[in-house]
Amino acid sequence: MRIAIADDDKDVVDYLGNIAEGQGHVFVPFADGDSLANALLRDTFDLVILDWNMPGKTGLQILEWMNESVDERPPVMMMTGRTAKKDISDALNAGADDYVTKPEDPNVIAARINAILRRGTGISTMETTVQHGDYVLDRIEQKVRHKQNEIALTAKEFELIDLMFRNRDRTLSRRYIMETVWRTNAHLTTRTLDMHVSRVRSKLSLTPENGFRIFTVFGYGYRLETLTNGA
């Protein structure tokens, strides 16, 4: 999963980033509220970990701004040194999904991160076989069956369609897809991603007749849409 961490204390960002990476997640650091807000308009995150007191927009202002400005709002964990009950209630009422006071044990932070991410995806991390309409994905064998017909996919094609099905009806930025599937975007061309999307669309026959389609969001990324026949 891809996590945005916003705190003006670099040591705190690095500390939380190490915890996230230890759980197999990717983190993107932000030192102020304004840069985080700009990123939320053009990129995709599975979770935002947010400090309260930052330059630019404060953590509470970010929460209120997200409610008005971000169509597909990721869950937010507020992590701050503020312990007043009013601060906690204000943050939760503004849309925070969790509130953690500093300092906190790293094992507790990791557990809270994973709990929010599980709720966000609605998928247990223990599931090895999942079904979406007539498509069955075997994550152990990295195979897809459609109406009992096995479809041959490369490892990256499987990871791509698994990611899209996990996030169906959610728009994913190109950067999010590249970092999640290829683990980096430094040496990956746009054409590489577009070719993989095209192949997956064709191999799986993702058409209205089969209940799904991959929709291109110009200048942003892709969305796997559930249509009338989709589950």
Side-chain angles (χ1 to χ4, degrees):
M1 299 292 181
R2 196 159 182 264
I3 301 174
I5 302 177
D7 197 303
D8 59 344
D9 187 332
K10 185 178 183 301
D11 290 338
V12 171
V13 172
D14 291 341
Y15 173 71
L16 295 174
N18 287 334
I19 294 173
E21 289 183 332
Q23 299 299 305
H25 308 303
V26 174
F27 83 97
V28 182
F30 298 93
D32 60 85
D34 291 340
S35 61
L36 172 63
N38 289 334
L40 287 168
L41 291 175
R42 66 177 189 270
D43 209 347
T44 305
F45 299 97
D46 297 293
L47 171 66
V48 175
I49 300 179
L50 190 60
D51 186 28
W52 190 303
N53 298 316
M54 294 185 295
K57 288 183 175 65
T58 66
L60 187 63
Q61 288 172 335
I62 286 288
L63 285 169
E64 294 168 345
W65 171 84
M66 288 173 68
N67 293 332
E68 299 293 329
S69 304
V70 180
D71 292 334
E72 299 183 28
R73 179 187 179 283
V76 176
M77 174 191 291
M78 179 73 81
M79 186 163 182
T80 173
R82 299 172 72 125
T83 59
K85 289 183 178 180
K86 184 179 186 306
D87 291 337
I88 298 173
S89 63
D90 285 349
L92 294 174
N93 287 332
D97 297 86
D98 199 357
Y99 192 102
V100 182
T101 55
K102 303 174 184 175
E104 181 57 275
D105 182 85
N107 292 324
V108 173
I109 294 172
R112 286 177 177 265
I113 288 173
N114 289 327
I116 292 176
L117 291 173
R118 284 196 300 272
R119 292 199 299 269
T121 60
I123 297 175
S124 169
T125 55
M126 299 302 292
E127 288 180 298
T128 57
T129 302
V130 290
Q131 183 164 357
H132 306 276
D134 292 326
Y135 295 91
V136 178
L137 279 65
D138 184 333
R139 291 179 177 146
I140 300 298
E141 298 292 332
Q142 290 198 320
K143 294 179 179 178
V144 177
R145 293 194 310 278
H146 179 237
K147 297 179 179 178
Q148 304 306 313
N149 297 313
E150 188 171 301
I151 301 169
L153 298 176
T154 67
K156 290 303 179 190
E157 288 168 352
F158 181 87
E159 288 187 58
L160 176 61
I161 194 56
D162 189 23
L163 176 69
M164 287 188 160
F165 269 125
R166 289 201 314 268
N167 292 277
R168 58 184 180 169
D169 301 314
R170 176 189 180 196
T171 303
L172 304 178
S173 69
R174 290 177 177 274
R175 181 179 298 179
Y176 178 89
I177 297 171
M178 290 185 225
E179 290 189 357
T180 304
V181 175
W182 280 269
R183 314 296 188 266
T184 181
N185 65 6
H187 305 292
L188 181 67
T189 66
T190 297
R191 180 168 174 76
T192 299
L193 174 57
D194 292 342
M195 287 176 59
H196 276 75
V197 170
S198 178
R199 289 172 184 163
V200 164
R201 181 190 281 124
S202 176
K203 288 184 177 182
L204 272 66
S205 299
L206 294 168
T207 62
E209 293 76 18
N210 287 323
F212 300 96
R213 72 165 181 170
I214 297 178
F215 181 74
T216 302
V217 181
F218 182 74
Y220 188 85
Y222 293 98
R223 180 174 65 251
L224 179 65
E225 295 187 334
T226 308
L227 303 177
T228 304
N229 295 328

PDB file of all heavy atoms in Angstrom, residues 37-65:
ATOM      1  N   ALA A  37      -1.508  18.747   0.208  1.00  0.00           N
ATOM      2  CA  ALA A  37      -2.770  19.057  -0.477  1.00  0.00           C
ATOM      3  C   ALA A  37      -2.592  19.011  -1.990  1.00  0.00           C
ATOM      4  O   ALA A  37      -3.430  18.447  -2.715  1.00  0.00           O
ATOM      5  CB  ALA A  37      -3.280  20.431  -0.043  1.00  0.00           C
ATOM      6  N   ASN A  38      -1.506  19.565  -2.484  1.00  0.00           N
ATOM      7  CA  ASN A  38      -1.243  19.535  -3.925  1.00  0.00           C
ATOM      8  C   ASN A  38      -1.101  18.102  -4.424  1.00  0.00           C
ATOM      9  O   ASN A  38      -1.607  17.755  -5.500  1.00  0.00           O
ATOM     10  CB  ASN A  38       0.023  20.322  -4.245  1.00  0.00           C
ATOM     11  CG  ASN A  38      -0.167  21.815  -4.078  1.00  0.00           C
ATOM     12  OD1 ASN A  38      -1.274  22.321  -4.198  1.00  0.00           O
ATOM     13  ND2 ASN A  38       0.911  22.530  -3.787  1.00  0.00           N
ATOM     14  N   ALA A  39      -0.433  17.248  -3.649  1.00  0.00           N
ATOM     15  CA  ALA A  39      -0.242  15.858  -4.057  1.00  0.00           C
ATOM     16  C   ALA A  39      -1.563  15.096  -4.062  1.00  0.00           C
ATOM     17  O   ALA A  39      -1.799  14.254  -4.935  1.00  0.00           O
ATOM     18  CB  ALA A  39       0.762  15.173  -3.130  1.00  0.00           C
ATOM     19  N   LEU A  40      -2.433  15.381  -3.112  1.00  0.00           N
ATOM     20  CA  LEU A  40      -3.712  14.675  -3.035  1.00  0.00           C
ATOM     21  C   LEU A  40      -4.603  14.971  -4.240  1.00  0.00           C
ATOM     22  O   LEU A  40      -5.487  14.172  -4.567  1.00  0.00           O
ATOM     23  CB  LEU A  40      -4.442  15.058  -1.747  1.00  0.00           C
ATOM     24  CG  LEU A  40      -3.863  14.474  -0.457  1.00  0.00           C
ATOM     25  CD1 LEU A  40      -4.485  15.145   0.754  1.00  0.00           C
ATOM     26  CD2 LEU A  40      -4.067  12.965  -0.393  1.00  0.00           C
ATOM     27  N   LEU A  41      -4.360  16.082  -4.914  1.00  0.00           N
ATOM     28  CA  LEU A  41      -5.152  16.418  -6.100  1.00  0.00           C
ATOM     29  C   LEU A  41      -4.678  15.689  -7.346  1.00  0.00           C
ATOM     30  O   LEU A  41      -5.435  15.577  -8.316  1.00  0.00           O
ATOM     31  CB  LEU A  41      -5.102  17.933  -6.345  1.00  0.00           C
ATOM     32  CG  LEU A  41      -5.821  18.812  -5.326  1.00  0.00           C
ATOM     33  CD1 LEU A  41      -5.576  20.283  -5.637  1.00  0.00           C
ATOM     34  CD2 LEU A  41      -7.314  18.506  -5.299  1.00  0.00           C
ATOM     35  N   ARG A  42      -3.448  15.195  -7.343  1.00  0.00           N
ATOM     36  CA  ARG A  42      -2.899  14.609  -8.567  1.00  0.00           C
ATOM     37  C   ARG A  42      -2.397  13.180  -8.393  1.00  0.00           C
ATOM     38  O   ARG A  42      -1.916  12.577  -9.353  1.00  0.00           O
ATOM     39  CB  ARG A  42      -1.753  15.485  -9.089  1.00  0.00           C
ATOM     40  CG  ARG A  42      -0.541  15.528  -8.181  1.00  0.00           C
ATOM     41  CD  ARG A  42       0.601  16.357  -8.792  1.00  0.00           C
ATOM     42  NE  ARG A  42       1.823  16.230  -8.018  1.00  0.00           N
ATOM     43  CZ  ARG A  42       2.159  17.019  -6.999  1.00  0.00           C
ATOM     44  NH1 ARG A  42       1.342  18.005  -6.638  1.00  0.00           N
ATOM     45  NH2 ARG A  42       3.285  16.838  -6.344  1.00  0.00           N
ATOM     46  N   ASP A  43      -2.498  12.641  -7.190  1.00  0.00           N
ATOM     47  CA  ASP A  43      -1.930  11.324  -6.957  1.00  0.00           C
ATOM     48  C   ASP A  43      -2.860  10.502  -6.076  1.00  0.00           C
ATOM     49  O   ASP A  43      -3.842  11.007  -5.528  1.00  0.00           O
ATOM     50  CB  ASP A  43      -0.546  11.462  -6.306  1.00  0.00           C
ATOM     51  CG  ASP A  43       0.383  10.310  -6.645  1.00  0.00           C
ATOM     52  OD1 ASP A  43      -0.100   9.282  -7.165  1.00  0.00           O
ATOM     53  OD2 ASP A  43       1.590  10.428  -6.401  1.00  0.00           O
ATOM     54  N   THR A  44      -2.545   9.214  -5.938  1.00  0.00           N
ATOM     55  CA  THR A  44      -3.377   8.278  -5.193  1.00  0.00           C
ATOM     56  C   THR A  44      -2.616   7.743  -3.985  1.00  0.00           C
ATOM     57  O   THR A  44      -1.453   7.351  -4.097  1.00  0.00           O
ATOM     58  CB  THR A  44      -3.783   7.087  -6.086  1.00  0.00           C
ATOM     59  OG1 THR A  44      -4.412   7.580  -7.261  1.00  0.00           O
ATOM     60  CG2 THR A  44      -4.743   6.161  -5.361  1.00  0.00           C
ATOM     61  N   PHE A  45      -3.278   7.715  -2.837  1.00  0.00           N
ATOM     62  CA  PHE A  45      -2.697   7.156  -1.615  1.00  0.00           C
ATOM     63  C   PHE A  45      -3.733   6.250  -0.947  1.00  0.00           C
ATOM     64  O   PHE A  45      -4.939   6.494  -1.042  1.00  0.00           O
ATOM     65  CB  PHE A  45      -2.276   8.264  -0.646  1.00  0.00           C
ATOM     66  CG  PHE A  45      -1.238   9.197  -1.207  1.00  0.00           C
ATOM     67  CD1 PHE A  45      -1.606  10.410  -1.776  1.00  0.00           C
ATOM     68  CD2 PHE A  45       0.102   8.854  -1.191  1.00  0.00           C
ATOM     69  CE1 PHE A  45      -0.660  11.263  -2.306  1.00  0.00           C
ATOM     70  CE2 PHE A  45       1.061   9.708  -1.718  1.00  0.00           C
ATOM     71  CZ  PHE A  45       0.682  10.910  -2.276  1.00  0.00           C
ATOM     72  N   ASP A  46      -3.236   5.226  -0.264  1.00  0.00           N
ATOM     73  CA  ASP A  46      -4.130   4.330   0.475  1.00  0.00           C
ATOM     74  C   ASP A  46      -4.376   4.816   1.899  1.00  0.00           C
ATOM     75  O   ASP A  46      -5.348   4.413   2.541  1.00  0.00           O
ATOM     76  CB  ASP A  46      -3.539   2.919   0.519  1.00  0.00           C
ATOM     77  CG  ASP A  46      -3.421   2.319  -0.863  1.00  0.00           C
ATOM     78  OD1 ASP A  46      -4.467   2.063  -1.481  1.00  0.00           O
ATOM     79  OD2 ASP A  46      -2.289   2.126  -1.343  1.00  0.00           O
ATOM     80  N   LEU A  47      -3.463   5.658   2.395  1.00  0.00           N
ATOM     81  CA  LEU A  47      -3.567   6.161   3.758  1.00  0.00           C
ATOM     82  C   LEU A  47      -2.762   7.444   3.861  1.00  0.00           C
ATOM     83  O   LEU A  47      -1.705   7.572   3.233  1.00  0.00           O
ATOM     84  CB  LEU A  47      -3.028   5.117   4.759  1.00  0.00           C
ATOM     85  CG  LEU A  47      -2.870   5.547   6.222  1.00  0.00           C
ATOM     86  CD1 LEU A  47      -4.231   5.841   6.849  1.00  0.00           C
ATOM     87  CD2 LEU A  47      -2.132   4.472   7.022  1.00  0.00           C
ATOM     88  N   VAL A  48      -3.262   8.388   4.667  1.00  0.00           N
ATOM     89  CA  VAL A  48      -2.518   9.604   4.996  1.00  0.00           C
ATOM     90  C   VAL A  48      -2.286   9.615   6.502  1.00  0.00           C
ATOM     91  O   VAL A  48      -3.235   9.482   7.284  1.00  0.00           O
ATOM     92  CB  VAL A  48      -3.293  10.868   4.580  1.00  0.00           C
ATOM     93  CG1 VAL A  48      -2.537  12.123   5.044  1.00  0.00           C
ATOM     94  CG2 VAL A  48      -3.495  10.900   3.074  1.00  0.00           C
ATOM     95  N   ILE A  49      -1.014   9.745   6.905  1.00  0.00           N
ATOM     96  CA  ILE A  49      -0.671   9.936   8.314  1.00  0.00           C
ATOM     97  C   ILE A  49      -0.338  11.414   8.474  1.00  0.00           C
ATOM     98  O   ILE A  49       0.557  11.933   7.807  1.00  0.00           O
ATOM     99  CB  ILE A  49       0.506   9.049   8.748  1.00  0.00           C
ATOM    100  CG1 ILE A  49       0.163   7.568   8.542  1.00  0.00           C
ATOM    101  CG2 ILE A  49       0.842   9.300  10.216  1.00  0.00           C
ATOM    102  CD1 ILE A  49       1.284   6.615   8.921  1.00  0.00           C
ATOM    103  N   LEU A  50      -1.045  12.080   9.375  1.00  0.00           N
ATOM    104  CA  LEU A  50      -1.083  13.530   9.362  1.00  0.00           C
ATOM    105  C   LEU A  50      -0.753  14.114  10.729  1.00  0.00           C
ATOM    106  O   LEU A  50      -1.364  13.753  11.739  1.00  0.00           O
ATOM    107  CB  LEU A  50      -2.506  13.952   8.945  1.00  0.00           C
ATOM    108  CG  LEU A  50      -2.806  15.389   8.610  1.00  0.00           C
ATOM    109  CD1 LEU A  50      -1.957  15.861   7.438  1.00  0.00           C
ATOM    110  CD2 LEU A  50      -4.295  15.508   8.249  1.00  0.00           C
ATOM    111  N   ASP A  51       0.228  15.014  10.760  1.00  0.00           N
ATOM    112  CA  ASP A  51       0.510  15.782  11.967  1.00  0.00           C
ATOM    113  C   ASP A  51      -0.482  16.944  12.059  1.00  0.00           C
ATOM    114  O   ASP A  51      -1.070  17.356  11.050  1.00  0.00           O
ATOM    115  CB  ASP A  51       1.954  16.302  11.918  1.00  0.00           C
ATOM    116  CG  ASP A  51       2.367  16.983  13.215  1.00  0.00           C
ATOM    117  OD1 ASP A  51       1.827  16.621  14.280  1.00  0.00           O
ATOM    118  OD2 ASP A  51       3.241  17.871  13.161  1.00  0.00           O
ATOM    119  N   TRP A  52      -0.655  17.499  13.249  1.00  0.00           N
ATOM    120  CA  TRP A  52      -1.570  18.626  13.406  1.00  0.00           C
ATOM    121  C   TRP A  52      -0.881  19.942  13.078  1.00  0.00           C
ATOM    122  O   TRP A  52      -1.332  20.715  12.249  1.00  0.00           O
ATOM    123  CB  TRP A  52      -2.117  18.665  14.835  1.00  0.00           C
ATOM    124  CG  TRP A  52      -3.244  19.633  15.032  1.00  0.00           C
ATOM    125  CD1 TRP A  52      -3.236  20.982  14.782  1.00  0.00           C
ATOM    126  CD2 TRP A  52      -4.556  19.324  15.505  1.00  0.00           C
ATOM    127  NE1 TRP A  52      -4.438  21.539  15.070  1.00  0.00           N
ATOM    128  CE2 TRP A  52      -5.277  20.555  15.523  1.00  0.00           C
ATOM    129  CE3 TRP A  52      -5.188  18.155  15.926  1.00  0.00           C
ATOM    130  CZ2 TRP A  52      -6.601  20.623  15.955  1.00  0.00           C
ATOM    131  CZ3 TRP A  52      -6.497  18.223  16.355  1.00  0.00           C
ATOM    132  CH2 TRP A  52      -7.201  19.443  16.371  1.00  0.00           C
ATOM    133  N   ASN A  53       0.241  20.210  13.748  1.00  0.00           N
ATOM    134  CA  ASN A  53       0.925  21.492  13.612  1.00  0.00           C
ATOM    135  C   ASN A  53       1.975  21.417  12.523  1.00  0.00           C
ATOM    136  O   ASN A  53       3.048  20.834  12.706  1.00  0.00           O
ATOM    137  CB  ASN A  53       1.577  21.881  14.936  1.00  0.00           C
ATOM    138  CG  ASN A  53       0.553  22.067  16.044  1.00  0.00           C
ATOM    139  OD1 ASN A  53      -0.483  22.683  15.820  1.00  0.00           O
ATOM    140  ND2 ASN A  53       0.845  21.539  17.220  1.00  0.00           N
ATOM    141  N   MET A  54       1.653  21.988  11.348  1.00  0.00           N
ATOM    142  CA  MET A  54       2.571  22.010  10.216  1.00  0.00           C
ATOM    143  C   MET A  54       2.515  23.378   9.558  1.00  0.00           C
ATOM    144  O   MET A  54       1.523  24.091   9.679  1.00  0.00           O
ATOM    145  CB  MET A  54       2.173  20.951   9.171  1.00  0.00           C
ATOM    146  CG  MET A  54       2.303  19.528   9.609  1.00  0.00           C
ATOM    147  SD  MET A  54       1.947  18.414   8.226  1.00  0.00           S
ATOM    148  CE  MET A  54       0.204  18.775   7.935  1.00  0.00           C
ATOM    149  N   PRO A  55       3.571  23.749   8.832  1.00  0.00           N
ATOM    150  CA  PRO A  55       3.493  24.973   8.028  1.00  0.00           C
ATOM    151  C   PRO A  55       2.411  24.831   6.955  1.00  0.00           C
ATOM    152  O   PRO A  55       2.059  23.730   6.546  1.00  0.00           O
ATOM    153  CB  PRO A  55       4.889  25.060   7.380  1.00  0.00           C
ATOM    154  CG  PRO A  55       5.770  24.200   8.218  1.00  0.00           C
ATOM    155  CD  PRO A  55       4.892  23.105   8.754  1.00  0.00           C
ATOM    156  N   GLY A  56       1.904  25.961   6.487  1.00  0.00           N
ATOM    157  CA  GLY A  56       0.824  25.904   5.504  1.00  0.00           C
ATOM    158  C   GLY A  56      -0.449  25.428   6.177  1.00  0.00           C
ATOM    159  O   GLY A  56      -0.769  25.807   7.296  1.00  0.00           O
ATOM    160  N   LYS A  57      -1.190  24.566   5.500  1.00  0.00           N
ATOM    161  CA  LYS A  57      -2.422  24.029   6.087  1.00  0.00           C
ATOM    162  C   LYS A  57      -2.079  23.153   7.287  1.00  0.00           C
ATOM    163  O   LYS A  57      -1.200  22.301   7.227  1.00  0.00           O
ATOM    164  CB  LYS A  57      -3.190  23.202   5.051  1.00  0.00           C
ATOM    165  CG  LYS A  57      -3.866  24.020   3.957  1.00  0.00           C
ATOM    166  CD  LYS A  57      -4.660  23.112   3.030  1.00  0.00           C
ATOM    167  CE  LYS A  57      -5.453  23.904   2.003  1.00  0.00           C
ATOM    168  NZ  LYS A  57      -4.579  24.639   1.072  1.00  0.00           N
ATOM    169  N   THR A  58      -2.803  23.332   8.378  1.00  0.00           N
ATOM    170  CA  THR A  58      -2.619  22.457   9.533  1.00  0.00           C
ATOM    171  C   THR A  58      -3.293  21.113   9.263  1.00  0.00           C
ATOM    172  O   THR A  58      -4.050  20.958   8.286  1.00  0.00           O
ATOM    173  CB  THR A  58      -3.250  23.072  10.788  1.00  0.00           C
ATOM    174  OG1 THR A  58      -4.686  23.121  10.605  1.00  0.00           O
ATOM    175  CG2 THR A  58      -2.714  24.473  11.033  1.00  0.00           C
ATOM    176  N   GLY A  59      -3.040  20.158  10.139  1.00  0.00           N
ATOM    177  CA  GLY A  59      -3.668  18.857   9.967  1.00  0.00           C
ATOM    178  C   GLY A  59      -5.177  18.941   9.960  1.00  0.00           C
ATOM    179  O   GLY A  59      -5.852  18.301   9.144  1.00  0.00           O
ATOM    180  N   LEU A  60      -5.754  19.726  10.866  1.00  0.00           N
ATOM    181  CA  LEU A  60      -7.211  19.869  10.910  1.00  0.00           C
ATOM    182  C   LEU A  60      -7.731  20.545   9.647  1.00  0.00           C
ATOM    183  O   LEU A  60      -8.767  20.142   9.094  1.00  0.00           O
ATOM    184  CB  LEU A  60      -7.623  20.673  12.142  1.00  0.00           C
ATOM    185  CG  LEU A  60      -9.138  20.753  12.389  1.00  0.00           C
ATOM    186  CD1 LEU A  60      -9.707  19.361  12.659  1.00  0.00           C
ATOM    187  CD2 LEU A  60      -9.448  21.689  13.554  1.00  0.00           C
ATOM    188  N   GLN A  61      -7.009  21.541   9.157  1.00  0.00           N
ATOM    189  CA  GLN A  61      -7.418  22.206   7.914  1.00  0.00           C
ATOM    190  C   GLN A  61      -7.345  21.251   6.726  1.00  0.00           C
ATOM    191  O   GLN A  61      -8.192  21.307   5.832  1.00  0.00           O
ATOM    192  CB  GLN A  61      -6.540  23.431   7.673  1.00  0.00           C
ATOM    193  CG  GLN A  61      -6.820  24.583   8.623  1.00  0.00           C
ATOM    194  CD  GLN A  61      -5.810  25.717   8.493  1.00  0.00           C
ATOM    195  OE1 GLN A  61      -4.677  25.505   8.070  1.00  0.00           O
ATOM    196  NE2 GLN A  61      -6.227  26.924   8.860  1.00  0.00           N
ATOM    197  N   ILE A  62      -6.352  20.369   6.718  1.00  0.00           N
ATOM    198  CA  ILE A  62      -6.251  19.366   5.660  1.00  0.00           C
ATOM    199  C   ILE A  62      -7.481  18.464   5.676  1.00  0.00           C
ATOM    200  O   ILE A  62      -8.077  18.160   4.631  1.00  0.00           O
ATOM    201  CB  ILE A  62      -4.969  18.531   5.803  1.00  0.00           C
ATOM    202  CG1 ILE A  62      -3.741  19.345   5.387  1.00  0.00           C
ATOM    203  CG2 ILE A  62      -5.051  17.255   4.959  1.00  0.00           C
ATOM    204  CD1 ILE A  62      -3.618  19.588   3.905  1.00  0.00           C
ATOM    205  N   LEU A  63      -7.864  18.011   6.860  1.00  0.00           N
ATOM    206  CA  LEU A  63      -9.050  17.150   6.969  1.00  0.00           C
ATOM    207  C   LEU A  63     -10.285  17.851   6.424  1.00  0.00           C
ATOM    208  O   LEU A  63     -11.052  17.275   5.648  1.00  0.00           O
ATOM    209  CB  LEU A  63      -9.279  16.761   8.432  1.00  0.00           C
ATOM    210  CG  LEU A  63      -8.351  15.704   9.025  1.00  0.00           C
ATOM    211  CD1 LEU A  63      -8.525  15.635  10.532  1.00  0.00           C
ATOM    212  CD2 LEU A  63      -8.608  14.347   8.394  1.00  0.00           C
ATOM    213  N   GLU A  64     -10.479  19.093   6.805  1.00  0.00           N
ATOM    214  CA  GLU A  64     -11.656  19.842   6.353  1.00  0.00           C
ATOM    215  C   GLU A  64     -11.579  20.105   4.851  1.00  0.00           C
ATOM    216  O   GLU A  64     -12.594  20.020   4.139  1.00  0.00           O
ATOM    217  CB  GLU A  64     -11.747  21.154   7.135  1.00  0.00           C
ATOM    218  CG  GLU A  64     -12.033  20.933   8.616  1.00  0.00           C
ATOM    219  CD  GLU A  64     -11.854  22.187   9.463  1.00  0.00           C
ATOM    220  OE1 GLU A  64     -11.234  23.154   8.971  1.00  0.00           O
ATOM    221  OE2 GLU A  64     -12.336  22.188  10.611  1.00  0.00           O
ATOM    222  N   TRP A  65     -10.395  20.400   4.362  1.00  0.00           N
ATOM    223  CA  TRP A  65     -10.202  20.642   2.928  1.00  0.00           C
ATOM    224  C   TRP A  65     -10.453  19.375   2.118  1.00  0.00           C
ATOM    225  O   TRP A  65     -11.074  19.418   1.053  1.00  0.00           O
ATOM    226  CB  TRP A  65      -8.777  21.139   2.694  1.00  0.00           C
ATOM    227  CG  TRP A  65      -8.379  21.221   1.256  1.00  0.00           C
ATOM    228  CD1 TRP A  65      -8.615  22.245   0.380  1.00  0.00           C
ATOM    229  CD2 TRP A  65      -7.675  20.232   0.514  1.00  0.00           C
ATOM    230  NE1 TRP A  65      -8.103  21.952  -0.862  1.00  0.00           N
ATOM    231  CE2 TRP A  65      -7.516  20.718  -0.812  1.00  0.00           C
ATOM    232  CE3 TRP A  65      -7.142  18.975   0.834  1.00  0.00           C
ATOM    233  CZ2 TRP A  65      -6.861  19.998  -1.799  1.00  0.00           C
ATOM    234  CZ3 TRP A  65      -6.496  18.255  -0.146  1.00  0.00           C
ATOM    235  CH2 TRP A  65      -6.368  18.770  -1.449  1.00  0.00           C
TER     236      TRP A  65
END
